[in-house]
Amino acid sequence: MNYEIIVVGGGHAGCEAAYASAKKGHKTLLITSNIKNIADMPCNPHIGGSAKGIVVREIDALGGIMGKVADKTHLQIKMLNSAKGPAVQALRAQGDKIAYPKEMLANLNSLNNLTIQEGMVEDLIIEENTAKGVTLEDGTKIISQKVILTTGTYLKADILVGSTRTRQGPHGEKPSNHLSDKLKEYGFNIIRLKTGTPQRIDRKTIDFSKTKLEPGDNKLLTFSFDLKPCYKIEDQEPCYLTYTTGETHKIIMDNLNKSSMYGGLDDIKGIGPRYCPSIEDKVVRFKDKERHQLFLEPESRYYDDIYVQGFSTSMPPEIQEKMVHSLPGLEKAKILKYGYAIEYDAIYPTQLNASLETKVIKNLYTAGQINGTSGYEEAACQGLMAGINAALSIEGKEPLILKRSDAYIGVLIDDLITKGIRDPYRLLSSRAEFRLILRSDNADLRLRKIGYEVGLISHEQLERLLTKEKEIEELKQFLKDNKIKINDNNQDLFKANGINVSNTTISLEQLIKRPQVTMSFLEQLINIPFKEEIKEQVEINYKYEGYIKKAIAEADKMLKLEKKQIPDDIDYYKIKNIASEARQKLNEVRPKTIAQAIRISGVNPSDIAVLSVYLKKEYNNHE
Amino acid sequence: MNDTICAISTAQGVGAIAIIRVSGIDAIKIVNKIFKGKDLTKVKSHTINYGHIVDKKKTIDEVLISVMKSPKTFTSEDTVEINTHGGIAPTNQVLELLLTNGCRLAEPGEFTKRAFLNGRIDLLEAEAVMDKINAQTEKQNEMANNQIKGKVSKLIDDLRDDMVQIISNINVNIDYPEYDDVDIITNDILVPKIKKLKEKIIKIIEESKNGEIIKNGITTCIVGEPNVGKSSLLNALLDENKAIVTDIAGTTRDIVEGRIIIDGIPLNIIDTAGIRKTNNIIESIGVEKSKEMLNKADLVLLVLNNNSKLTKDIKELYNKIKNKNHIIIVNKIDLENKLDLNYFPQNHIIKMSLKTKRGINKLKEKIKEEFNLEKIETEDPTYLSNTRSIAILKNCLKSIKDVEASIKNDIPIDMLEIDITNIWQELGKINGKYYDEELLDEMFSRFCLGK
C-alpha cells in the first residue's frame, strides 16, 4: 500500500497529526501498537492547565481536535488563575480516561482519508537522506511521501519500580527496541529522558471526609470555539485535596536508597522533569516543608481509579503501600496500580527545523515526547504542526511557522529547536515573553484565519470569527457613543463600587478605562446589548491597553530582528572572532534569523554583534 | 574585522614619545615591511624590539616596537605598538606609511570595539576603558579600573539577582496556581520588595553623583562685586594646588578655565574670563548667560569684601545662589568689618585674607565637607559614572514608580511581573547582559580615536 503521510504512534501527537493530514485531504496511515491505546492518558487525567490550557485553545483555533474531544468527555473543568490577570488565565479539565480515547477514535474513524493499522515500526525506509516510508517488525514495508514519528515514551522504554527495570511501555505495552538505534545510525543525536507517575487508588477505599473538596467551576466553559458546553455544572465530578504527613516523609527518608532514582537502580541515565518532581525529590529538596499537597483525582466515570497527583514515585511496592497508608483519608486505601518511573529515548530537538521536519532526514517529521517534551498538550500541538507542515509540503506550499508572538505553540517549537532541552520540556507562562498577547480568550482572534488558510477551518467557522471581530468594533463604538449623566441619583452606586467621580456627563469609554470600572458595573447603569465574549474582549482591551501596547511594541522590535535572516549556507568557522562555544552552538542550531540566534544559550551579545557585522559585510543584501 | 587598523594612541603632539597601535591579522606583516631591524614575523610574542622605521631606505624615526600575538592582546588580535619620538611630524609620517602599506585608519573607538567584539571585555568594561583613557586623576583611574575589573558590573548583577527572585516566584505562582509549596506573592508582599529595590536604585544613582564628581569634577563658579578679590582667590587656589591651568575647551561642554585637584577631586572653575576681564560676571556676559552659568555650577563661591557694606546687588546675587552648594568667602578680614555677616548663614561663611593667603586651607576643608569628599576619598570607588548607564537607571527608577502606582490600582500581579521583567532587562543593558542593537552603535560612536 502507498500513502501520502504515515504517522507512527497513536498518542496525542499522533492523533492530531493524522487528523490534520487526513482532514486536509491527504491519504494518511496511522500505525499504532494497539488501537485500544489511541489517545491514551497514561499519566495524569488533565487536559489543559496553566499555559497548556491556552495551547488547547490554540489547537482548536487552528482546526485541531483535542479541545473538542476534551469538551465532550471531561469530568470537570476550571478556569485557573481566575483571580489574576487575563494573560495567565487558562482552562483545565479533568479528562475521562475511557471516554476521551473513545471519542478521539470516533473522530479519527470519521475521516475518509485515514487508515488506522496496528503494528510496530522498527525502521524507516531511507534513500539519500530522505524518508520514503517505514518497515514494520515483520518486515512489511509501507511506502509514503512523508513520515511523522510520534512515538511518545515507547523508544526503548524501561519501567522502573524500586530495584526492578522492565523493558516495556506504559500499560505493559511492548516498546520499540530498534527504532532509536536506527535513528542513531541515520545521524540523530539520541538522549535518554525519564518521567514518572503516581499510584492509582480504589475510590471505594478512600475516606473522603478527611480531605477537602475541589469542585469544578460554577460557570459553563469550553476549550473549543465551536462547541456549546455539553455538560451540566452540577454533574461535574469533584477532586479532593489531602496532604503528606510527617510519617510519610519519614517513610520516604528511611527508604530512600530503595527508590529507583535514589540508588535502587544504579544505571539510571534519564533526566527527569524539573517541573514535575517525584515525591522523593520534593521531600529531599524541601526538607523544611512540613507537608506537600496531594490532589485525589478521578480518572473516569467508568471505573474507580483515583490518581494521586503530586505523589509520583519509583519506590518498591511494599514502601508505596506504607507511604499511601500514611496519608489522611487513605489509611485503608487499596492500591490498584503502583507508581513507577519510565525511561525512554528521545532525539535532541535542535536537530529539527521550525516546521518539525528533521534537519537530518528529509520528509521525516517528529512530534511530541520523542522531541523531548512532556505533557499531552505539548505533544498534541506539535502533532498538529507536523501534520499541517507535512501536508503543506506535499501541496508544494511553504511551511506554517508560528512566531513567538503568534502563539504558545510558536514559543514551544522555537524553544525546542533553538535552546534544546536538559529535561522533559514543559510549557510555562514564563517562557512566553509576549504572554499578554497570547491569551486564552483571544486564541481564535490570533489563529483562526491561519487555520482557514491552511485548510483546517471551514468557511462557516471563519464567518463566525469575522462576525466576532465586527461585534468587537461595534461595542467599542457603542462605548464611545453612549454617555452617562452622573448626578446625585446614581452617585451612590459609584461610591459603593469605590469609584470617585464628580457629577458630570461622561462616555462609557472614559469610564471603562478607569481601574475600578468593569463591564458588569456599567451594565447596572445601561443595557449593553452584546454577547459575553465580546464584552470580555473589549474590557480586556481597554483595561490593559497600556500593557498590551507595550507588549506589541516589544513584539515588533523582535520581529525586526526576526527579519534579519541568516543565510542557510553560512559557515560559522569562517567568522574569525566568534567565541568557540558560541560558534559550536550556532553551528549546531543553525538559526534562521538574528532574533533566533540571540535566544541560543551560550551565544553572548558580543557574538551577535560579530555575527551582524559579518553578515553585513559578506552578504550585502542583508537587512 | 578582517582588516588591519592603526591609530596614534597617545595625545597628539604632547609628551616625549608617541605610540602608534596596529591591530589585525596583518599587523606584524605590515609593520615589518617598514621596519629595519629584526624580522618581526620571527620574533617571540610580547617582546620589545629596537630598530628604525624606514620609507624607501630613508629613515623616518628611531623606534621601539612591541610585538604581541593573538589572543593575549587588548583586541585579541595580533597587535603591534610602535613607540616613536613624540612630535607631530614624525609620528604622522609613520602613520601615513602604515596606511600606504595596507592598514586602515581606525574609526573612533575601534580598538575597544574589537576588544569587546572579540569577547575580551564586557560593555561596562569597554566604557571604562574610555574613561581610563580620559582619566586625569588617580581617583578617576581607580574608578575606571574598578569598572574594568567588573566591580560595577557586579553591582548591577546583584540588583538583577534580587529581581530574578521576585520574578521567578511570581512565575511559579502563575504556573502552579493550586500549589502552596512556594509562597504566593501578593501585591501586599510585593510592596516592600519593590520599595527596597527602588531604594537600592536610588542609592546607586545618588552614589553615581560621586562617580560623576570623580570623573568630571566639581564645576565651580566664582562670583562677586568688582575688586573684592575674585581673581586673587582664583590665583591663590591655582597656586596653592600647583594646578593644571590649560584651556581644556571641549573636554566638557562647559568652558573650564582652571582645574584644581583637591584631594584627588578636580575642581573645574568656569568662566574665569568673566572674573578677570570685567570683574563682574553678570555685566560681562549678560543676565541670561550668567543664570545659565550659575545653573551649571555644582558649587558657587561668593566673594565679599569685609570692608564694605552689604548692597542690594549682593543680596540679589545671594538670592540667586542660596539654593545651590555655596560658600561665602569674606575677604579682607584684616581690614575693618563693615559687612553685615548676620545676613548669611554662619556655617557657609569662610573668612579669609587673600593678601596674606589666610584661610585657603579652611576653604579647602569646607569644599571637602560640602561634597563629602572624605568619604569619596576613603572609599573604594565603585560607581556607575557614565551617562548612558545613569540614564538607564533613571528610566528603571521611573518604571519602578509606575509599578508602585499600578499596585495601588490593583493591577494583577502577573501584569506587574511583566513590568518587573522589563526593568530587569533594562538593567541588563547597562552591563551588556541583555542584547540591544542600538546600544552597540550608540556606544561605539562615542569612543574617541585610538584605543
Side-chain angles (χ1 to χ4, degrees):
Chain A
M1 272 303 266
N2 284 9
Y3 291 90
E4 290 181 88
I5 295 175
I6 294 177
V7 179
V8 182
H12 301 278
C15 288
E16 292 290 346
Y19 181 85
S21 150
K23 189 125 191 264
K24 271 173 70 52
H26 297 284
K27 204 174 152 197
T28 308
L29 172 68
L30 174 63
I31 305 176
T32 169
S33 59
N34 187 342
I35 287 184
K36 272 189 279 174
N37 286 338
I38 289 270
D40 179 36
M41 290 189 258
C43 196
N44 65 64
H46 310 148
I47 299 286
S50 181
K52 294 156 171 265
I54 302 177
V55 169
V56 180
R57 300 270 278 175
E58 290 177 350
I59 292 171
D60 191 75
L62 286 168
I65 184 73
M66 178 176 242
K68 292 181 179 65
V69 175
D71 281 335
K72 284 183 190 159
T73 57
H74 64 71
L75 302 174
Q76 66 152 258
I77 188 163
K78 260 186 184 180
M79 183 63 91
L80 299 177
N81 283 328
S82 54
K84 298 195 178 84
V88 296
Q89 295 181 7
L91 287 170
R92 188 191 62 205
Q94 297 290 330
D96 186 311
K97 290 192 178 184
I98 297 291
Y100 184 94
K102 218 171 125 189
E103 174 68 24
M104 181 63 84
L105 186 60
N107 273 280
L108 294 179
N109 280 333
S110 73
L111 295 167
N112 289 330
N113 300 308
L114 180 63
T115 309
I116 303 176
Q117 177 183 326
E118 284 191 351
M120 184 62 80
V121 171
E122 290 292 3
D123 197 0
L124 303 171
I125 303 168
I126 308 279
E127 285 167 27
E128 291 169 353
N129 285 331
T130 307
K132 303 260 162 142
V134 301
T135 309
L136 301 185
E137 201 177 20
D138 61 7
T140 313
K141 290 189 186 315
I142 309 173
I143 305 298
S144 68
Q145 296 179 42
K146 309 278 172 190
V147 176
I148 304 175
L149 292 181
T150 59
T151 51
T153 60
Y154 279 82
L155 292 184
K156 282 199 175 169
D158 281 343
I159 297 280
L160 316 171
V161 184
S163 59
T164 63
R165 171 189 285 276
T166 322
R167 172 129 307 184
Q168 61 181 29
H171 303 309
E173 290 291 330
K174 224 171 79 180
S176 167
N177 281 321
H178 304 295
L179 191 53
S180 68
D181 287 340
K182 291 287 178 191
L183 290 173
K184 205 183 271 175
E185 249 172 61
Y186 298 135
F188 283 99
N189 178 8
I190 302 287
I191 52 172
R192 196 127 177 99
L193 297 174
K194 121 184 135 59
T195 186
T197 193
Q199 306 76 9
R200 312 301 197 269
I201 309 290
D202 187 342
R203 176 200 291 264
K204 299 189 291 291
T205 64
I206 299 176
D207 179 0
F208 290 108
S209 68
K210 293 183 178 168
T211 65
K212 186 175 162 274
L213 195 70
E214 296 275 321
D217 273 4
N218 271 325
K219 195 178 157 192
L220 287 169
L221 301 161
T222 61
F223 284 112
S224 175
F225 293 98
D226 305 305
L227 292 182
K228 295 252 179 311
C230 42
Y231 68 101
K232 286 191 187 128
I233 286 169
E234 61 276 19
D235 286 352
Q236 295 181 93
E237 293 267 343
C239 296
Y240 304 88
L241 173 62
T242 188
Y243 293 91
T244 58
T245 60
E247 198 197 330
T248 323
H249 294 196
K250 188 171 180 303
I251 297 167
I252 291 169
M253 291 310 286
D254 287 350
N255 295 284
L256 208 52
N257 58 346
K258 292 178 186 150
S259 161
S260 311
M261 298 301 136
Y262 281 89
L265 276 173
D266 50 15
D267 58 343
I268 305 272
K269 290 197 192 74
I271 301 167
R274 279 173 293 174
Y275 306 100
C276 187
S278 67
I279 190 69
E280 291 97 296
D281 271 345
K282 282 195 247 181
V283 171
V284 170
R285 273 162 50 194
F286 304 99
K287 287 208 166 68
D288 302 338
K289 201 85 192 162
E290 279 172 30
R291 58 180 200 177
H292 295 279
Q293 286 167 312
L294 300 173
F295 291 92
L296 304 175
E297 307 180 343
E299 291 203 330
S300 171
R301 290 182 205 278
Y302 304 98
Y303 62 83
D304 282 332
D305 287 30
I306 296 285
Y307 179 92
V308 191
Q309 168 80 22
F311 215 48
S312 145
T313 179
S314 55
M315 284 285 192
E318 66 276 13
I319 308 298
Q320 290 196 31
E321 290 280 350
K322 283 189 195 165
M323 283 161 62
V324 166
H325 293 149
S326 70
L327 304 173
L330 282 80
E331 293 86 352
K332 292 177 182 152
K334 187 178 162 208
I335 300 179
L336 297 173
K337 204 191 279 171
Y338 293 105
Y340 61 86
I342 183 164
E343 254 194 349
Y344 56 97
D345 279 356
I347 67 173
Y348 197 68
T350 57
Q351 301 166 97
L352 301 172
N353 288 309
S355 63
L356 295 181
E357 185 178 16
T358 71
K359 293 174 185 168
V360 182
I361 303 288
K362 262 192 77 171
N363 292 343
L364 178 67
Y365 297 72
T366 57
Q369 274 173 306
I370 189 175
N371 289 346
T373 57
S374 81
Y376 310 141
E377 307 79 4
E378 285 89 343
C381 74
Q382 289 173 66
L384 175 67
M385 296 307 290
I388 290 174
N389 283 328
L392 286 175
S393 172
I394 289 175
E395 295 158 18
K397 292 178 185 154
E398 286 293 308
L400 172 61
I401 314 270
L402 296 173
K403 292 189 288 290
R404 296 181 75 89
S405 50
D406 288 336
Y408 268 89
I409 300 173
V411 173
L412 179 142
I413 293 175
D414 184 66
D415 277 350
L416 284 182
I417 65 167
T418 305
K419 296 176 180 164
I421 54 156
R422 278 182 301 169
D423 56 340
Y425 178 99
R426 184 197 152 155
L427 252 185
L428 300 164
S429 335
S430 45
R431 298 194 196 267
E433 57 274 60
F434 305 116
R435 63 165 192 248
L436 200 49
I437 320 179
L438 310 182
R439 303 188 308 269
S440 177
D441 63 80
N442 70 357
D444 55 342
L445 296 167
R446 287 186 276 129
L447 300 169
R448 272 262 136 131
K449 285 179 189 162
I450 296 176
Y452 178 75
E453 278 161 32
V454 299
L456 289 177
I457 291 295
S458 69
H459 194 71
E460 187 202 339
Q461 286 170 306
L462 180 73
E463 279 299 322
R464 267 207 304 279
L465 174 83
L466 296 177
T467 308
K468 183 174 174 180
E469 286 181 338
K470 203 175 106 225
E471 285 173 9
I472 288 169
E473 289 312 310
E474 284 169 2
L475 175 51
K476 282 186 184 164
Q477 197 55 47
F478 177 90
L479 294 177
K480 276 191 190 116
D481 293 347
N482 283 280
K483 293 188 170 61
I484 283 192
K485 200 166 177 188
I486 300 167
N487 50 35
D488 292 343
N489 295 330
N490 55 21
Q491 189 57 267
D492 286 348
L493 186 61
F494 282 91
K495 288 214 177 90
N497 285 277
I499 303 159
N500 247 326
V501 62
S502 50
N503 283 357
T504 174
T505 301
I506 185 168
S507 75
L508 296 179
E509 188 192 33
Q510 281 168 290
L511 272 177
I512 192 86
K513 283 181 177 175
R514 290 170 163 250
Q516 301 85 356
V517 180
T518 62
M519 203 61 93
S520 57
F521 171 78
L522 290 185
E523 289 193 285
Q524 296 178 41
L525 300 159
I526 184 170
N527 176 38
I528 302 176
F530 287 87
K531 281 192 285 240
E532 207 50 52
E533 58 167 3
I534 305 295
K535 285 187 272 196
E536 181 194 17
Q537 230 13 266
V538 172
E539 181 170 347
I540 289 170
N541 274 311
Y542 277 119
K543 279 269 166 305
Y544 302 108
E545 202 181 9
Y547 280 91
I548 291 171
K549 272 190 185 152
K550 254 194 270 178
I552 290 173
E554 281 297 315
D556 285 347
K557 225 162 117 186
M558 194 192 66
L559 287 188
K560 244 174 78 189
L561 290 173
E562 218 62 86
K563 282 199 185 106
K564 298 201 168 181
Q565 304 256 336
I566 302 174
D568 285 339
D569 62 350
I570 189 166
D571 181 355
Y572 288 104
Y573 288 89
K574 274 192 184 158
I575 311 176
K576 273 191 57 205
N577 299 297
I578 259 176
S580 60
E581 188 199 353
R583 190 198 310 280
Q584 189 208 326
K585 283 283 179 65
L586 285 165
N587 203 44
E588 173 192 317
V589 176
R590 303 203 67 80
K592 297 274 183 209
T593 66
I594 289 285
Q596 196 193 347
I598 290 170
R599 292 191 289 268
I600 301 172
S601 59
V603 177
N604 293 318
S606 57
D607 302 316
I608 298 296
V610 175
L611 178 61
S612 298
V613 170
Y614 179 83
L615 288 175
K616 266 181 204 162
K617 231 161 76 180
E618 293 298 309
Y619 302 86
N620 283 332
N621 54 346
H622 184 57
E623 274 175 294
Chain B
M1 292 201 298
N2 289 330
D3 51 358
T4 300
I5 54 171
C6 66
I8 301 171
S9 290
T10 43
Q12 284 270 25
V14 211
I17 60 160
I19 298 174
I20 299 169
R21 175 183 269 175
V22 187
S23 176
I25 6 182
D26 293 329
I28 299 172
K29 210 173 84 193
I30 293 172
V31 176
N32 200 40
K33 277 199 271 183
I34 60 167
F35 179 69
K36 207 174 105 189
K38 277 187 200 164
D39 184 349
L40 296 178
T41 59
K42 289 186 179 138
V43 302
K44 278 191 188 160
S45 183
H46 293 79
T47 54
I48 293 180
N49 305 277
Y50 171 83
H52 295 86
I53 295 292
V54 290
D55 181 13
K56 295 178 197 122
K57 289 183 184 165
K58 191 180 140 217
T59 301
I60 309 281
D61 202 355
E62 183 187 27
V63 294
L64 284 174
I65 290 185
S66 315
V67 175
M68 291 159 283
K69 288 183 186 160
S70 173
K72 283 185 181 169
T73 69
F74 176 65
T75 55
S76 283
E77 302 170 335
D78 281 351
T79 301
V80 178
E81 283 177 6
I82 308 173
N83 292 258
T84 68
H85 288 101
I88 294 170
T91 312
N92 278 346
Q93 256 179 305
V94 176
L95 187 71
E96 272 167 36
L97 209 50
L98 285 169
L99 295 176
T100 51
N101 277 283
C103 279
R104 173 171 67 72
L105 192 64
E107 288 160 17
E110 201 170 358
F111 288 101
T112 309
K113 186 174 181 173
R114 287 188 176 198
F116 173 72
L117 293 182
N118 291 335
R120 271 273 287 128
I121 52 174
D122 79 13
L123 201 54
L124 262 187
E125 290 166 351
E127 288 183 314
V129 169
M130 288 312 304
D131 291 342
K132 197 170 158 59
I133 295 165
N134 292 328
Q136 288 194 0
T137 70
E138 267 305 299
K139 272 280 144 189
Q140 288 174 347
N141 195 17
E142 211 178 303
M143 185 166 71
N145 278 339
N146 270 342
Q147 198 155 331
I148 292 173
K149 278 186 220 146
K151 274 197 180 176
V152 179
S153 220
K154 193 175 171 296
L155 202 66
I156 298 301
D157 282 341
D158 288 348
L159 207 57
R160 295 181 85 224
D161 286 348
D162 288 349
M163 303 187 75
V164 161
Q165 287 179 15
I166 302 174
I167 293 167
S168 57
N169 198 336
I170 297 176
N171 275 317
V172 171
N173 293 158
I174 294 168
D175 284 317
Y176 298 86
E178 290 167 324
Y179 273 83
D180 61 4
D181 278 7
V182 291
D183 297 334
I184 291 164
I185 300 251
T186 59
N187 284 4
D188 289 342
I189 295 175
L190 197 59
V191 168
K193 285 182 194 278
I194 289 295
K195 198 171 158 235
K196 213 174 126 195
L197 198 64
K198 185 176 79 177
E199 281 161 3
K200 278 190 180 176
I201 291 183
I202 290 175
K203 190 163 168 258
I204 297 178
I205 293 175
E206 282 296 317
E207 288 182 349
S208 72
K209 283 182 190 151
N210 291 340
E212 292 244 307
I213 285 175
I214 294 173
K215 198 170 132 189
N216 299 326
I218 301 165
T219 303
T220 309
C221 205
I222 301 176
V223 297
E225 293 197 306
N227 293 321
V228 291
K230 294 193 295 288
S231 45
S232 308
L233 172 66
L234 177 69
N235 289 333
L237 282 170
L238 296 180
D239 183 41
E240 181 76 14
N241 291 280
K242 296 177 181 61
I244 320 148
V245 190
T246 47
D247 288 342
I248 323 176
T251 45
T252 72
R253 249 169 280 155
D254 309 309
I255 299 158
V256 178
E257 293 246 340
R259 175 168 273 214
I260 302 159
I261 314 291
I262 294 182
D263 288 342
I265 307 296
L267 207 67
N268 303 315
I269 301 174
I270 57 171
D271 196 52
T272 51
I275 302 166
R276 282 184 179 139
K277 282 175 195 154
T278 69
N279 282 339
N280 189 325
I281 172 176
I282 295 177
E283 261 174 35
S284 73
I285 52 176
V287 181
E288 276 311 303
K289 185 75 184 165
S290 71
K291 252 193 212 161
E292 194 192 316
M293 221 40 111
L294 286 175
N295 278 341
K296 267 185 196 160
D298 300 315
L299 172 67
V300 180
L301 301 178
L302 172 61
V303 187
L304 301 176
N305 184 349
N306 183 49
N307 193 230
S308 53
K309 288 233 164 91
L310 196 61
T311 63
K312 212 180 117 206
D313 282 356
I314 294 174
K315 285 181 185 171
E316 254 174 43
L317 192 55
Y318 174 69
N319 275 331
K320 283 200 180 89
I321 63 160
K322 67 179 179 191
N323 292 324
K324 298 184 77 81
N325 272 319
H326 65 276
I327 298 171
I328 292 154
I329 293 161
V330 179
N331 189 21
K332 308 188 185 179
I333 48 160
D334 45 329
L335 300 177
E336 187 196 343
N337 172 269
K338 289 181 183 166
L339 191 69
D340 178 14
L341 292 176
N342 290 328
Y343 184 78
F344 307 102
Q346 294 306 301
N347 59 348
H348 281 269
I349 295 176
I350 297 285
K351 292 176 182 169
M352 295 178 104
S353 167
L354 284 162
K355 214 164 103 192
T356 59
K357 296 200 176 159
R358 255 170 72 193
I360 279 284
N361 279 335
K362 262 199 270 171
L363 175 61
K364 269 174 59 183
E365 287 306 315
K366 187 72 195 165
I367 293 173
K368 276 163 80 175
E369 188 191 312
E370 199 80 1
F371 287 91
N372 218 352
L373 297 188
E374 295 285 357
K375 191 169 158 269
I376 298 177
E377 173 70 5
T378 51
E379 269 182 8
D380 195 10
T382 304
Y383 303 119
L384 273 186
S385 61
N386 65 74
T387 332
R388 184 187 67 86
S389 306
I390 292 165
I392 291 177
L393 268 185
K394 283 184 177 163
N395 273 336
C396 289
L397 185 61
K398 198 180 149 281
S399 306
I400 286 192
K401 286 178 181 164
D402 288 347
V403 171
E404 286 184 321
S406 300
I407 293 175
K408 281 203 185 103
N409 278 331
D410 278 333
I411 296 287
I413 191 106
D414 55 288
M415 296 290 200
L416 300 173
E417 191 270 341
I418 294 174
D419 285 334
I420 298 169
T421 302
N422 283 339
I423 297 169
W424 179 79
Q425 286 174 346
E426 277 296 304
L427 286 174
K429 288 179 186 172
I430 294 180
N431 56 359
K433 296 280 164 76
Y434 187 75
Y435 182 82
D436 191 26
E437 257 230 322
E438 299 122 50
L439 181 81
L440 292 178
D441 295 346
E442 180 205 307
M443 275 239 354
F444 289 110
S445 61
R446 284 201 308 117
F447 285 178
C448 75
L449 191 74
K451 193 157 192 169

